[in-house]
Structure formats: C-alpha cells, structure tokens
Amino acid sequence: MKDVAARAGVGLKTVSRVVNGEPGVTPDTERRVQEAIDALGFRRNDSARVLRKGRTATVGLVLEDLSDPFYGPLNRAVEEVARAHGALLINGSSDEDPERERELALALCARRVDGLVVIPAGDDHRYLEPEIRAGVATVFVDRPAGRIDADVVLSDSFGGAVTGVAHLIAGGHRRIGFIGDQPHIHTATERLRGYRAAMADAGLPVDGAWVSLGTTAPERVSAAARAMLSGPEPVTALFAGNNRVTVTAVRVLASLPRPVALVGFDDFELADLLNPGITVIAQDAAALGRVATDRLFQRLAGADLPPARIELPTRLIPRGSGELPPVC
Amino acid sequence: MKDVAARAGVGLKTVSRVVNGEPGVTPDTERRVQEAIDALGFRRNDSARVLRKGRTATVGLVLEDLSDPFYGPLNRAVEEVARAHGALLINGSSDEDPERERELALALCARRVDGLVVIPAGDDHRYLEPEIRAGVATVFVDRPAGRIDADVVLSDSFGGAVTGVAHLIAGGHRRIGFIGDQPHIHTATERLRGYRAAMADAGLPVDGAWVSLGTTAPERVSAAARAMLSGPEPVTALFAGNNRVTVTAVRVLASLPRPVALVGFDDFELADLLNPGITVIAQDAAALGRVATDRLFQRLAGADLPPARIELPTRLIPRGSGELPPVC
C-alpha cells in the first residue's frame, strides 16, 4: 500500500479510501490510485478485511463426487439459494474419502466461510464442533452427520426402497436382487433395510446371494448383476441402490436374451427414452439442496433453531422396466 | 490466543508451539492447551499464516455449470491432478455469467490460491492481469481467454464439427440443420463455422432457417428443432452443437413418425443404449482438465513457458443415428 501511495503521490489514507470505496476522493485522485494499483499488481487482501469485519458473505459446500450427475441439481440448488442471499459459494469435493472431507471442510472454515453445507463422506463429524461453536452455521445434506447433533436434510431412502421392492413383488417377482453402494454409506444401508423390509412384509426369504454392496464401479456392479442372474435359480428382478448402479445394470440387462425387471433408486437423464423405459424411485435432489441451504441461511440470520432432521419423500415413476413380469 | 494461554496456564509461546506442531512441549502441557482450544472454540487462522509463508497449496477452479454432465470428467480430472500434487482444490461456478466469473476468480485470488483453472464465461479477462503479475498461475480450459495472452487448452471444435457434418453429407443428406449454444460462446461459433465449412466444401447452400443459436434450455432447442423439421422442405438431418442440445433433439426426434439423422457434439452417458444409438463427435473432457492442470503445475514449479494454445482432437463415434439415410 505504501508503494501504491508513493507512486500515486497520495497519502496512505487516500489509498485506503479508494480500495474500500469510501467517499472523499476526487475522480482524478481515484484514477491515479487505480493506475498505481494496476501498475504494481496490488492485491486487495480480503482475508485481512474479513478478520476485521466479521461476515464474509461466502458459504462453502463440501461435495461428494463432481462427476455423479445425481449431485448436479443438488449442487446447483445450493448455489442458487446462496446467490439469492447475495453470498458467494465455494466448493470442494471429498470423493467419498472421510479424511479428505475433513481436510476440505476445515480448509473452507480457515478461509472464513460463514456457513457450510456438507454432503458427508465420513461418519464422525466431531472435528467440526469447534467451528460450529465459533459460529460457522453447518447443515448436512443427503446423509446424516456422525456423532454430532446437527441439521440434516435427507430423502426417505428406507421408504423409497420399500416402495420400489414392493412394486416388483406386486408384479409377481419372488426372487429379487439388491445391488447397492458401499456399506459405510448411510443411504446404501437404509435402502438395503428397505429392501429387506419389503421382502419380509411379503413373507419372502432373502437368499444371501441376492444382496451385494460395494463400490459403484461398473466392473463391480456388472459382476454382481451377472452372478445374481446366473445359476439354477436366478433373480427375475433387480433393485438398483442408486443411479450409478442403475446405468450399469441397464447395460447388463440389455445384453441378456431374457427380460429381467429393474427398478432403480434415483431418476436419471434419458431414463424414459430407453427401451423399456426405466422405472425409478425419484428423489428431489434440487429440493434437498434448497431446503438445506434455506436452513443454513435461517441460522445465519440468527434463528435459534434446535438441530433438525428433515426427511423428504421419494416417488415411484413406472416406465416399463419395473413392470416386466418374472421370466425364469 | 491470550485466552487459550490463560485458560491453560501457559505462555503465548507454548500455545503457538502446540498450534504449529513445534517440539519442546510436554504431552501434559500439549493436552491442556488442546483442551483450552477446544473449550474456547479457538480457530487457527490459516489466512494469516498464508500471508507469512507464501504458497497455500490450494488451486481454484472456476466452473461453468455444476449441472452439465460434460464438465463432470473435466472437473474431476482437475481435482485428481491437484491432489496428485498435494494441493487442495476449491471451486465456484460462473453459471455462464461473465460478471459472476470475474467475482469468483477474484474471490479465489483474494483467498490466496496459488493458481487458477478457468472455464471462461466472459470474453475479457484483463481483470486477471494484476493477479497473474502477482504470481497466480492461470490456465484457461474449454474456451480461450479474452484480451489477454494466457494458456488455453481446447478441443478442436471446428474440426470436430467439419467431421460430423461431412459424415451426414457422405450419408446422402443435403438439408442439414445446426442447433448450437449462445453466439457469444467460443465453442458454439467454432462449431457453427465447422458446419458452414463442411457444407461449403460439399457445394451445398445453407438456408438461414437451418441454423439456430441460443440457450440450451429444452424449450428453446425443441422449438428450433421443430421449426427446421416442418414446412415443405424440412431438414433430413440435425447437427447438435453440444450434449445439452443433443438430449433435447433426441426427445424431439423420438416423437416424430419419420426417421431423422442426428450427430451430436459431445458424447454422453447411455448414448449407445438408445435406439438408434446416438452418433457423436466425442471430446476427451478428462484430457482437457488433465492437460490444463498439468500446465498449471508446470508454471507453479517455476517453468518459464510462453502462453500456449493447446488443441486436443475429437473423434467420430458412429452408433446409428448419424447413419440414417435422408427421408423427406
């Protein structure tokens, strides 16, 4: 700043006035200061400003996976709500790694975000307690926080899976496979619980060979599907635990000579244009993001709310694949 | 820090040692300081640390649209390269708004990122010159920078469009429609230029009614497609300027009684499972992100490189929709 003042031939206070947009500077002086700033590559240090003024009008979003289309509308909704409140959103992605989630969340806090929306990868969020106590509003979305009492906005994974599996049972299926995401992921185990509940409600046994949890890598999902679909008593229908599983299941089923029914958790683009169309349990991903971020800004506005668990409903969209009858 | 020292009954220097992980503190003292920190919600101020130490091991990515699946693999590749270099990535999305791009890029700079990867929305990036002079390595990707000399990594949009349209012409089409993104977007105009070049190379006229640029909102694209496909001399084939246009074109064509050929710029998930499969000009989106971020880290490592324009090839993937013969 001293260099800028010297180059522009003005005092430090004048430079400060120009940089902070304060009155009392003639247009000519302002221009000279601006030119000196441009010439010297002077960078206004927002970090230092923040330390003085408090709020930064920035919120952070800890994403799960930048390349999973399910999160597209969720992320976008968070961004739109933040923008509607005049706040800037900065993100980072945990890539389903708890250590990385922690590193990112704390890095965003260190960069003085006012609040955090977290799609958690880990199951222990006590590391955020000092931040929350220090005033960083925090809301979890898509999956609950672990070992701390905090706001969370979720879809009804259990209920959605019950509905989807019951739909297959109503269509005459008795041997139904479940392929889901990794067992440490809350939504994966909730959907598995829904599958088991629907089977039990109908008095149907669940063979251990019909259930497979693991990564959503195409090779893993495809091997699991092929295993369930072979042997003397193959499954006649599949319930896919999320959109990543569903798209691989669609590929496997398209290569089979006989029709196999399929219901997938999560809607996805072009699901209706496949042949048959893919029956899904749709979440409202945009609503998850919107409700979570609305909650965040209620907290930032000073609302004294107890931590809440907000669960959004899912909905069955029948399109053909889930209505195929059992063929052995 | 004074409060922490008082509560733990130690000096300021001891608190500083614990916070910065320096030696010379007994385990018992360390525990007491840690408890005081937890109790007081003390937050280590990374911003202040950064000002002293220089590099932050953080790079920023200015995204275009969080919900466009084309950017998924690109964003992920940037993240993977950053991680391989031990750097944290923080993002923000411009949503195709030049003012927002500027606000975000400068906000990331103010938060002291070492480098920036920018998918530009605007066409004037002189606002970044002071940052670049101050040492922020900057690489543009997917679209060129405007009015500054900077690294850019692009796909060959012109060549890809020439190939795709020539493929339709080779299949017997003479009346071919082009539906693209907004005219201020570099890739949109480059692809239009490729379409015109391919038509001209084949000695074919281009009717003004066959070209439509605008937003990729489904209503806009669908109206444009329907207009070209009606009237006494409808087009017999469509070239779609990007994946957002293609998915809407697929919907429109699926509702028509006669077959219409389609080639789309950008590959997309499940394109091969539609009926017919969708012929595309595929970009290597992951390579765009990887090459751009490699370049960024070369600069951060001190390489003295002149600004470069790196163009990656595209590739035609025939799947059926682009091989349909003309039907009037």
Side-chain angles (χ1 to χ4, degrees):
Chain A
M1 259 175 104
K2 274 184 203 157
D3 296 340
V4 171
R7 189 179 180 111
V10 300
L12 271 179
K13 186 148 199 95
T14 306
V15 176
S16 164
R17 281 201 182 113
V18 171
V19 169
N20 293 307
E22 287 161 14
V25 184
T26 67
D28 182 57
T29 305
E30 181 173 350
R31 188 185 44 74
R32 269 188 299 142
V33 171
Q34 200 54 59
E35 281 170 7
I37 287 172
D38 289 348
L40 293 166
F42 171 85
R43 303 167 74 199
R44 192 184 66 185
N45 188 337
D46 270 6
S47 309
R49 276 158 45 95
V50 158
L51 298 181
R52 288 198 302 273
K53 296 198 185 166
R55 287 288 160 79
T56 62
T58 305
V59 295
L61 168 61
V62 178
L63 303 163
E64 195 272 294
D65 179 349
L66 272 174
S67 64
D68 181 342
F70 168 70
Y71 290 110
L74 193 164
N75 299 342
R76 206 185 160 89
V78 172
E79 190 169 58
E80 279 168 5
V81 174
R83 195 178 311 180
H85 284 86
L88 201 69
L89 181 73
I90 55 179
N91 316 310
S93 155
S94 70
D95 200 20
E96 204 66 90
D97 175 347
E99 188 41 49
R100 204 165 164 76
E101 174 215 295
R102 177 193 158 102
E103 188 191 2
L104 254 170
L106 292 177
L108 292 171
C109 289
R111 283 174 175 74
R112 313 289 287 186
V113 292
D114 298 328
L116 273 184
V117 176
V118 181
I119 300 170
D123 55 8
D124 184 351
H125 296 92
R126 285 176 298 175
Y127 72 87
L128 275 173
E129 279 179 338
E131 307 296 334
I132 293 170
R133 270 201 305 273
V136 180
T138 304
V139 177
F140 292 80
V141 64
D142 185 41
R143 306 165 180 176
R147 310 186 67 175
I148 63 169
D149 208 18
D151 286 327
V152 57
V153 182
L154 304 164
S155 288
D156 179 11
S157 281
F158 172 79
V162 167
T163 302
V165 175
H167 184 69
L168 289 166
I169 295 170
H173 295 275
R174 295 292 169 265
R175 296 195 306 273
I176 301 171
F178 178 93
I179 307 181
D181 209 332
Q182 302 177 76
H184 68 266
I185 299 175
H186 179 261
T187 48
T189 52
E190 279 296 286
R191 293 168 197 173
L192 175 57
R193 201 166 66 82
Y195 159 83
R196 290 193 186 280
M199 295 293 275
D201 283 352
L204 295 173
V206 172
D207 187 310
W210 301 347
V211 172
S212 173
L213 296 187
T215 76
T216 57
E219 310 70 44
R220 203 286 298 180
V221 170
S222 148
R226 286 183 197 286
M228 292 176 194
L229 291 161
S230 58
E233 290 218 307
V235 300
T236 63
L238 285 177
F239 187 82
N242 70 24
N243 74 87
R244 300 293 80 207
V245 174
T246 306
V247 296
T248 299
V250 166
R251 280 182 194 286
V252 172
L253 299 189
S255 69
L256 289 186
R258 66 179 191 282
V260 171
L262 173 67
V263 174
F265 209 108
D266 297 331
D267 202 4
F268 58 99
E269 190 163 76
L270 301 174
D272 57 323
L273 288 185
L274 295 171
N275 188 14
I278 307 301
T279 298
V280 300
I281 300 295
Q283 300 186 64
D284 190 342
L288 285 174
R290 205 161 45 235
V291 171
T293 317
D294 281 343
R295 185 88 183 169
L296 188 81
F297 279 96
Q298 281 173 26
R299 288 202 176 279
L300 287 174
D304 185 20
L305 306 163
R309 179 191 177 96
I310 303 171
E311 204 164 74
L312 304 185
T314 60
R315 128 187 112 90
L316 172 73
I317 307 178
R319 293 197 180 110
S321 75
E323 293 70 45
L324 294 170
V327 177
C328 302
Chain B
M1 259 175 103
K2 274 184 202 158
D3 296 340
V4 171
R7 189 178 180 111
V10 300
L12 270 179
K13 187 148 199 96
T14 305
V15 176
S16 165
R17 282 201 180 114
V18 171
V19 169
N20 292 307
E22 288 161 13
V25 184
T26 67
D28 182 59
T29 305
E30 180 173 349
R31 187 183 46 73
R32 268 189 299 142
V33 171
Q34 201 52 60
E35 280 170 7
I37 287 172
D38 289 349
L40 293 166
F42 171 85
R43 304 167 73 197
R44 193 183 66 184
N45 189 338
D46 270 5
S47 309
R49 277 157 46 95
V50 158
L51 298 181
R52 287 199 302 274
K53 295 197 185 167
R55 287 289 159 77
T56 62
T58 306
V59 295
L61 168 61
V62 178
L63 302 163
E64 194 271 294
D65 179 350
L66 273 173
S67 65
D68 181 342
F70 167 70
Y71 290 110
L74 194 165
N75 299 344
R76 206 186 159 90
V78 172
E79 190 170 58
E80 278 168 6
V81 174
R83 194 178 312 181
H85 284 86
L88 202 69
L89 181 73
I90 55 179
N91 315 310
S93 155
S94 70
D95 200 20
E96 205 65 270
D97 175 347
E99 189 41 49
R100 201 163 166 77
E101 174 215 295
R102 177 193 159 100
E103 188 191 3
L104 253 170
L106 292 177
L108 292 171
C109 289
R111 283 173 176 74
R112 312 289 289 188
V113 292
D114 299 327
L116 272 185
V117 176
V118 180
I119 300 170
D123 54 8
D124 184 351
H125 296 92
R126 286 175 298 175
Y127 72 86
L128 275 173
E129 280 179 337
E131 307 296 334
I132 293 170
R133 271 202 304 273
V136 179
T138 304
V139 177
F140 292 80
V141 64
D142 186 41
R143 306 164 180 177
R147 309 185 69 173
I148 63 169
D149 208 18
D151 287 327
V152 57
V153 181
L154 303 164
S155 288
D156 179 11
S157 280
F158 172 78
V162 168
T163 302
V165 175
H167 184 70
L168 289 167
I169 295 170
H173 295 275
R174 296 292 170 264
R175 297 195 306 273
I176 302 172
F178 177 93
I179 306 180
D181 209 333
Q182 302 178 74
H184 68 267
I185 298 175
H186 178 261
T187 48
T189 52
E190 279 295 288
R191 293 169 196 172
L192 175 57
R193 201 166 65 82
Y195 160 83
R196 290 194 186 280
M199 295 294 274
D201 284 352
L204 296 173
V206 172
D207 188 310
W210 301 347
V211 171
S212 173
L213 296 187
T215 76
T216 57
E219 310 70 45
R220 202 287 296 178
V221 171
S222 147
R226 287 184 197 286
M228 293 177 194
L229 291 162
S230 59
E233 290 217 309
V235 300
T236 63
L238 285 176
F239 187 81
N242 71 24
N243 75 87
R244 301 293 80 208
V245 174
T246 306
V247 297
T248 299
V250 166
R251 280 183 195 285
V252 171
L253 299 190
S255 70
L256 289 186
R258 66 180 191 282
V260 171
L262 172 67
V263 175
F265 209 108
D266 297 330
D267 201 5
F268 58 98
E269 189 162 77
L270 301 174
D272 58 322
L273 289 185
L274 295 171
N275 188 15
I278 307 301
T279 297
V280 299
I281 301 293
Q283 300 186 64
D284 189 341
L288 285 174
R290 205 161 46 234
V291 171
T293 317
D294 281 343
R295 184 89 182 168
L296 188 81
F297 279 97
Q298 282 172 24
R299 288 202 176 278
L300 286 174
D304 186 21
L305 306 163
R309 179 191 176 95
I310 302 171
E311 205 164 74
L312 303 185
T314 60
R315 125 187 114 90
L316 172 73
I317 307 178
R319 292 197 180 113
S321 74
E323 293 71 46
L324 294 170
V327 177
C328 302

